[in-house]
Amino acid sequence: MTRFTSPPVIAPERTLRLLSCNILAGASVQRYSDYVTRSVNAVLPARSKLDNLDSLAQLLHEFDVVGLQEADAGSLRSGFLNQTRYIAEAAGMPYWSHQPNRPMARVAHSANGLLSRIEPSEVIDYPLPGRIKGRGALFVRFGTGTDALVVVIAHLSLGAAARMGQLGFIAELLAPFPHAVLMGDLNTEPTSPEMRRLFEKTALQPPTVSTPTFPSWKPRRALDHILTSADIALDRTWTLPRAFSDHLPLAAEIRLPLALAEAAGALPTR
């Protein structure tokens, strides 16, 4: 007698594409010497910066949620242009928000930025701890309650001690939310002590593959990250081949259980 077993029931899922990009206020850096030779241009507006932003915007049609770091919030170096808003409008992203950090006498004003095709239910700016003020985390919630999907966009400090405190703050921020994504320029490798502490304190999972993003012209270090909690499948990560700054943009494709996707705002399918 042959016994037939029914195939396992696979829960429906929805796919999202995420992108994290440190845009260096639109400046293009292709070698270390550019930091010196282009130092004057870095604080002055230039058509090349706008062209760079336009080129990035053209690639965003395939992404659902984008996190920006080092976008200019509107100062001399950008021609007093809010670069997050400019990219969102050029890319046709209906929802955007930004978190201005570090105003420098109207010459430069860096910001974290959010671009989204999905409407957030809440966006909160959090300053991050550190001896030198000016780092922040942009907290974005899709949906409500414990079923919400939370995305945090951050740009961390260069010093390990400061990063330890900043990631500790982010871990506390994410503690009430089991469905989370952390994305941004974290300025550290995934195996560093401060990252290991983050994984111990949260449901975020270490990346299975290291994806170098810095420097953009010859990537050696994985400083940019898209990290997900255990119930969010991270199918793949990759870098965009075009460099828009000294970091390569980091992309990820994630799968959400349908119930979570619907609770977070009926996220679109792909």
Side-chain angles (χ1 to χ4, degrees), residues 245-259:
S245 73
D246 53 351
H247 290 245
L248 289 178
L250 180 67
E253 192 168 86
I254 66 173
R255 282 181 289 117
L256 302 178
L258 185 59

Side-chain angles (χ1 to χ4, degrees), residues 7 37 53 69 81 123 132 141 189 222 225 237:
T37 59
L53 300 184
Q69 304 90 49
L81 177 73
V123 180
I132 300 175
R141 189 200 314 241
E189 302 273 0
H225 303 280
T237 58

Side-chain angles (χ1 to χ4, degrees), residues 35-268:
Y35 289 114
V36 177
T37 59
R38 301 188 183 187
S39 58
V40 174
N41 291 334
V43 296
L44 295 176
R47 178 66 220 185
S48 60
K49 294 180 182 179
L50 212 54
D51 292 341
N52 216 15
L53 300 184
D54 288 337
S55 296
L56 174 60
Q58 291 175 7
L59 299 179
L60 297 187
H61 66 276
E62 61 183 280
F63 293 98
D64 300 292
V65 178
V66 178
L68 302 178
Q69 304 90 49
E70 290 202 56
D72 197 87
S75 66
L76 176 63
R77 66 175 175 177
S78 66
F80 300 99
L81 177 73
N82 184 318
Q83 293 181 332
T84 302
R85 178 175 182 173
Y86 180 86
I87 296 171
E89 293 178 349
M93 305 284 273
Y95 306 103
W96 68 274
S97 184
H98 76 149
Q99 179 190 39
N101 303 305
R102 285 193 183 180
M104 297 175 63
R106 292 173 60 83
V107 173
H109 196 176
S110 291
N112 293 324
L114 163 75
L115 316 175
S116 180
R117 300 194 185 281
I118 308 153
E119 184 176 7
S121 55
E122 184 177 40
V123 180
I124 304 175
D125 299 349
Y126 285 101
L128 291 174
R131 185 175 57 84
I132 300 175
K133 302 301 180 183
R135 301 285 181 173
L138 194 58
F139 174 96
V140 186
R141 189 200 314 241
F142 299 97
T144 59
T146 57
D147 288 331
L149 172 66
V150 167
V151 176
V152 171
I153 300 163
H155 185 194
L156 303 189
S157 294
L158 295 174
R163 288 195 302 270
M164 185 72 80
Q166 290 162 359
L167 286 172
F169 178 89
I170 290 172
E172 292 183 10
L173 197 62
L174 293 178
F177 304 100
H179 319 300
V181 174
L182 172 61
M183 59 195 298
D185 176 4
L186 305 188
N187 264 317
T188 187
E189 302 273 0
T191 55
S192 68
E194 56 268 34
M195 290 288 276
R196 291 199 299 269
R197 180 70 62 86
L198 174 73
F199 298 135
E200 291 171 359
K201 290 187 171 184
T202 68
L204 296 174
Q205 303 297 296
T208 56
V209 177
S210 181
T211 307
T213 56
F214 181 86
S216 58
W217 55 93
K218 196 171 183 180
R220 296 185 183 90
R221 304 186 64 196
L223 301 183
D224 301 85
H225 303 280
I226 299 177
L227 306 171
T228 62
S229 54
D231 63 339
I232 299 174
L234 179 59
D235 282 347
R236 64 186 182 114
T237 58
W238 70 99
T239 54
L240 300 190
R242 171 77 188 276
F244 298 96
S245 73
D246 53 351
H247 290 245
L248 289 178
L250 180 67
E253 192 168 86
I254 66 173
R255 282 181 289 117
L256 302 178
L258 185 59
L260 171 58
E262 291 178 345
L267 306 185

